[in-house]
Amino acid sequence: MSESRSVIHRVLLATLASALAVTAVYSALNLSPEAEAAATLPPTHAKFDYQIGGAYTPPAGVQVVTRDRTASPAAGLYNICYVNAFQVQPGEQGSWASDLLLRDAKGNLVIDEDWGEPLLDLRTADKRTRVAAKVNGWIDDCAAKGYKAIEPDNYDSYERSKGLLTTTQAKAYLTLLATHAHGKNLAIAQKNTVDLAGSRTSVGLDFAVAEECGQYDECGDYVAAFGNNVIVIEYTNAGRTKACSAYGTKLTIVQRDVDVSTPGSSGYVRKTC
């Protein structure tokens, strides 16, 4: 064999080996390269409505809507499916295996007192896998309904865990959800938890949903990690004003009432820049 043909042969073998390695990685993750690339991110600087407290006809001009996983998506819009992925919704404790609920040294449930939600136990790989299996079933339902993205809430539950959960465990668990979501051609958001925004690539997160980043001067940190792929939800006039002043021409920003209520409710609020 001539030297030039030998070089070509070695290059072809190296290319084949690289392709096989990539294929093996996707196979191990139960993905295909096509599926990984198929997730569509929400449009940036879009008109948005946050409807996790109840679905209703979106206001005129709205392009992006977030709704709870139990609701149907809004026709013709980019829909994000809200999933309480790290804590248990009130009244749903009985649907979880007892050992997957986080307990303190006395055996008492660790509760997010603000919302009355027990935390999920993510301390071992086995428990993370079991919790993810249930939540991934919800992600499958979101995909089947026609949602384009997932918003897994309470990434920061480790802050309310009495020191029992770690950031490493939270990231390992969310990576399982991100991998599954991408396999369903869904984008996946980082919800809050600005301290972990620097890990977005290793976890597999595509965009951010940031509550009150204007109020607490955190929007810039999300932009540093996600560019303009940030959805901002404020709950005060002051927070909305700050977010709109700094990022009103770049980011998707809305103000809602804390209860995220529906039109006609006494506390309903929806304002934009």
Side-chain angles (χ1 to χ4, degrees), residues 87 102-105 108-112 119-123 156-167 169:
Q87 299 181 180
L102 186 65
R103 299 177 186 273
D104 62 21
N108 297 319
L109 291 174
V110 179
I111 305 288
D112 177 348
L119 273 63
L120 291 165
D121 191 346
L122 309 174
R123 289 177 292 181
D156 60 353
S157 64
Y158 59 86
E159 295 179 350
R160 299 178 288 278
S161 70
K162 300 182 178 180
L164 296 174
L165 299 176
T166 68
T167 58
Q169 292 160 357

Side-chain angles (χ1 to χ4, degrees), residues 15 26 47 141:
T15 302
Y26 279 105
K47 293 184 178 180
D141 290 341

Side-chain angles (χ1 to χ4, degrees), residues 176-189:
L176 297 177
L177 302 187
T179 299
H180 189 83
H182 289 156
K184 294 294 180 178
N185 301 336
L186 297 170
I188 185 167

Side-chain angles (χ1 to χ4, degrees), residues 67-100:
R67 289 180 171 176
D68 186 78
R69 65 179 179 84
T70 59
S72 297
L77 305 183
Y78 186 103
N79 287 267
I80 302 170
C81 192
Y82 172 93
V83 174
N84 193 350
F86 287 76
Q87 299 181 180
V88 179
Q89 293 281 96
E92 295 184 4
Q93 180 179 324
S95 68
W96 286 91
S98 178
D99 69 313
L100 295 182

